Amino acid sequence: VPSLQPYYARALAVVTPLLVGGGTQLKVVEAFAAGVPLVATTLAVEGIKATPDEHYLAADTPAAMTAAITLLVQNRARGEQLAVAARQLAVEQYDWRRSAARLQALLAMAAEKGVQG
């Protein structure tokens, strides 16, 4: 699809039930940036500076996934709290402009020290 935004706009939540493998972190950050509550396994958010129950609902079993999704269905305000906190995290930690600025600073430091790539 050309854009996921219309789907995110209609979504109650993004669910990432990853139990093996990796590579979903970009989708997790994308969901955060879109302001959609996230239900995720520990592996799905590995390496992301997010805190369970503050930025997303952690669920590592089918029963926990069901409970988390049920909570979001029954308590839309809780989902909104998670989404707002997660969006703020995405802006502060994963915005492309900030990431590029950090990378430029690291490259400049390496150049000053004579490190070659």
Side-chain angles (χ1 to χ4, degrees), residues 1 4 6-7 9 12 16 20 25 28 32 36-37 40 42 44-45 47 50 52 60-61 70 78-79 81-82:
V1 296
L4 291 176
Y7 299 97
L12 170 73
T16 56
V20 294
Q25 287 80 5
V28 167
F32 284 176
V36 181
T42 302
V45 296
D60 286 315
T61 66
T70 300
R78 180 68 179 119
Q81 288 172 334
L82 292 165

Side-chain angles (χ1 to χ4, degrees), residues 64-78:
M65 280 275 169
T66 300
I69 294 166
T70 300
L71 172 71
L72 293 176
V73 168
Q74 295 174 345
N75 188 346
R76 299 290 176 106
R78 180 68 179 119

Side-chain angles (χ1 to χ4, degrees), residues 7 21 57 100 102:
Y7 299 97
L57 297 178
R102 285 193 295 252

Side-chain angles (χ1 to χ4, degrees), residues 90-112:
V91 168
E92 290 173 1
Q93 294 292 321
Y94 301 104
D95 179 80
W96 285 113
R97 290 172 296 245
R98 291 179 191 246
S99 296
R102 285 193 295 252
L103 179 58
Q104 272 188 313
L106 287 171
L107 291 172
M109 283 180 12
E112 286 175 12

